[in-house]
Amino acid sequence: MGNPSGEPPEPEDDAERRRRERDTEPIPRVRPDDGPEFGPGPGYSAGPSYADDPGYPDGMGYGEERRAGTRGWVRDPDDGPEISEEELAGLRVDASGMPLGPRRVLPLEDEPTALVARYLFPTERYRGEWKRHKISLATPLLVGLLATFVLGYLAGWLAGEGGGTLTTLSVLVWLAIMGWVAWKVADWYFDRFILTNKRVMVVNGIITRRVAMMPLLRVTDMKYEQSPLGRALNYGTFVLESAGQEQALREIKYLPNPNELYLRVVEEMYEPQAVEARLGKEAEEAKADDGA
């Protein structure tokens, strides 16, 4: 019976050759996103019969291995490290380059007090000032309280015994002690730790003023220490080192919020641009709020 299309049939050897080329054509590697990859399939022999082995790879039969007991594909190392959402939250920034995460450093004060302003030069930028923690007044206040009870009781007892001179003397001693307590309180009020973009300073003294400073560029080491009571009341002792030499600012006791102060000093030393950017952003937000 003739061929209806009128075309002569292909020779037997050409059809067999094309089939072998199609069957032996390599299959491209499939990535995990494209689904499971099978092996090249059943291997064919030179003739029409199948080979003895099916030609699948060892294991679970897929091109990409899967973790035992898990669902989904093992990540391709070429895709880079996996970053969690928490890590991404700390890396996100706004249009100005400021981080969108929680602020670790509290807003800075706008202007120095009159007590501190006299010690700053015009090109210096003020970053903050701190009084010592009130725990530093514990000793003088305790002495004043004990003196009030003891000398008050003694003066009353002497007055009942007719000791007028001793009674007057005990009152004078009590007044002297209370004057000393008042002096300590005033000295605490005028004692300030100051931070600028160029240096740290300590100013103290009522009649004789003492001003000690250390440039931030010369600070080679800085740490703060907190005793158990300091951790409970939030104060600490700062220790500053400058080229291994003894300095007037080497040890500063009873500073409040030591972790906050530590962050401010370290940021000023190593990331001054970040401080300037934050201050500029806060100034713009303040102007926008005033305009609204």
Side-chain angles (χ1 to χ4, degrees), residues 16 19-20 23 42-53:
E16 184 68 15
R19 186 179 65 177
R20 286 200 305 271
D23 294 338
Y44 294 96
S45 64
S49 62
Y50 292 99
D52 295 334
D53 65 309

Side-chain angles (χ1 to χ4, degrees), residues 5 14 21 35 40 43 88 106 117 129 153 174 190 210 236-237 262 275 280-281 283:
S5 62
D14 292 341
E21 291 177 353
L88 288 175
L106 298 178
E129 60 185 87
Y153 175 81
W174 177 81
F190 289 105
R210 294 177 295 273
T237 299
Y262 177 82
V275 180
K281 182 179 179 182

Side-chain angles (χ1 to χ4, degrees), residues 4-19:
S5 62
E7 297 180 356
E10 290 184 333
E12 185 68 22
D13 56 348
D14 292 341
E16 184 68 15
R17 178 175 55 80
R18 293 181 181 180
R19 186 179 65 177

Side-chain angles (χ1 to χ4, degrees), residues 182-225:
W183 181 273
K184 287 294 185 180
V185 173
D187 187 55
W188 166 83
Y189 177 80
F190 289 105
D191 190 354
R192 304 294 171 90
F193 177 83
I194 306 162
L195 173 65
T196 72
N197 67 325
K198 297 182 181 296
R199 54 181 173 161
V200 291
M201 304 170 59
V202 170
V203 178
N204 55 22
I206 300 176
I207 298 176
T208 302
R209 301 292 288 169
R210 294 177 295 273
V211 181
M213 57 84 64
M214 180 184 295
L216 291 176
L217 294 177
R218 292 188 58 189
V219 177
T220 58
D221 187 25
M222 181 183 66
K223 65 179 180 179
Y224 73 89
E225 302 171 350

Side-chain angles (χ1 to χ4, degrees), residues 66-116:
R66 302 177 68 177
R67 289 192 181 97
T70 60
R71 300 181 61 184
W73 299 100
V74 177
R75 298 186 70 261
D76 191 339
D78 297 336
D79 295 339
E82 184 177 1
I83 302 177
S84 64
E85 287 297 326
E86 295 180 357
E87 293 173 325
L88 288 175
L91 298 176
R92 295 192 178 99
V93 296
D94 57 16
S96 63
M98 294 297 295
L100 297 177
R103 183 196 300 264
R104 294 184 303 167
V105 180
L106 298 178
L108 299 174
E109 292 82 358
D110 295 331
E111 297 293 337
T113 61
L115 178 66
V116 173

Side-chain angles (χ1 to χ4, degrees), residues 2-290:
N3 187 358
S5 62
E7 297 180 356
E10 290 184 333
E12 185 68 22
D13 56 348
D14 292 341
E16 184 68 15
R17 178 175 55 80
R18 293 181 181 180
R19 186 179 65 177
R20 286 200 305 271
E21 291 177 353
R22 183 178 64 251
D23 294 338
T24 59
E25 182 179 356
I27 299 177
R29 184 178 178 84
V30 182
R31 293 187 61 78
D33 298 338
D34 299 330
E37 176 192 359
F38 295 95
Y44 294 96
S45 64
S49 62
Y50 292 99
D52 295 334
D53 65 309
Y56 292 104
D58 297 332
M60 301 182 67
Y62 295 91
E64 294 291 334
E65 293 183 359
R66 302 177 68 177
R67 289 192 181 97
T70 60
R71 300 181 61 184
W73 299 100
V74 177
R75 298 186 70 261
D76 191 339
D78 297 336
D79 295 339
E82 184 177 1
I83 302 177
S84 64
E85 287 297 326
E86 295 180 357
E87 293 173 325
L88 288 175
L91 298 176
R92 295 192 178 99
V93 296
D94 57 16
S96 63
M98 294 297 295
L100 297 177
R103 183 196 300 264
R104 294 184 303 167
V105 180
L106 298 178
L108 299 174
E109 292 82 358
D110 295 331
E111 297 293 337
T113 61
L115 178 66
V116 173
R118 69 184 71 179
Y119 303 109
L120 306 179
F121 51 88
T123 58
E124 196 170 21
R125 298 186 180 179
Y126 172 79
R127 297 300 189 225
E129 60 185 87
W130 293 264
K131 298 178 185 177
R132 297 183 191 264
H133 196 277
K134 293 180 179 179
I135 192 65
S136 61
L137 296 174
T139 299
L141 292 178
L142 183 60
V143 170
L145 183 63
L146 291 176
T148 300
F149 280 102
V150 173
L151 294 177
Y153 175 81
L154 180 62
W157 181 78
L158 291 174
E161 295 293 330
T165 303
L166 294 177
T167 302
T168 304
L169 181 61
S170 62
V171 172
L172 292 177
V173 172
W174 177 81
L175 290 175
I177 293 176
M178 297 309 295
W180 175 78
V181 172
W183 181 273
K184 287 294 185 180
V185 173
D187 187 55
W188 166 83
Y189 177 80
F190 289 105
D191 190 354
R192 304 294 171 90
F193 177 83
I194 306 162
L195 173 65
T196 72
N197 67 325
K198 297 182 181 296
R199 54 181 173 161
V200 291
M201 304 170 59
V202 170
V203 178
N204 55 22
I206 300 176
I207 298 176
T208 302
R209 301 292 288 169
R210 294 177 295 273
V211 181
M213 57 84 64
M214 180 184 295
L216 291 176
L217 294 177
R218 292 188 58 189
V219 177
T220 58
D221 187 25
M222 181 183 66
K223 65 179 180 179
Y224 73 89
E225 302 171 350
Q226 281 186 291
S227 63
L229 182 61
R231 296 180 63 183
L233 300 180
N234 196 21
Y235 72 88
T237 299
F238 267 71
V239 179
L240 303 177
E241 296 287 348
S242 176
Q245 299 176 0
E246 292 291 334
Q247 301 289 334
L249 287 179
R250 186 180 185 280
E251 188 175 271
I252 311 168
K253 297 181 178 181
Y254 304 118
L255 286 178
N257 302 317
N259 188 69
E260 166 70 15
L261 182 55
Y262 177 82
L263 288 177
R264 289 198 183 188
V265 176
V266 171
E267 187 181 31
E268 200 65 56
M269 292 171 59
Y270 298 105
E271 295 292 340
Q273 297 84 359
V275 180
E276 296 294 339
R278 185 173 69 252
L279 291 178
K281 182 179 179 182
E282 291 174 357
E284 292 177 0
E285 292 177 352
K287 291 181 180 178
D289 294 339
D290 294 340

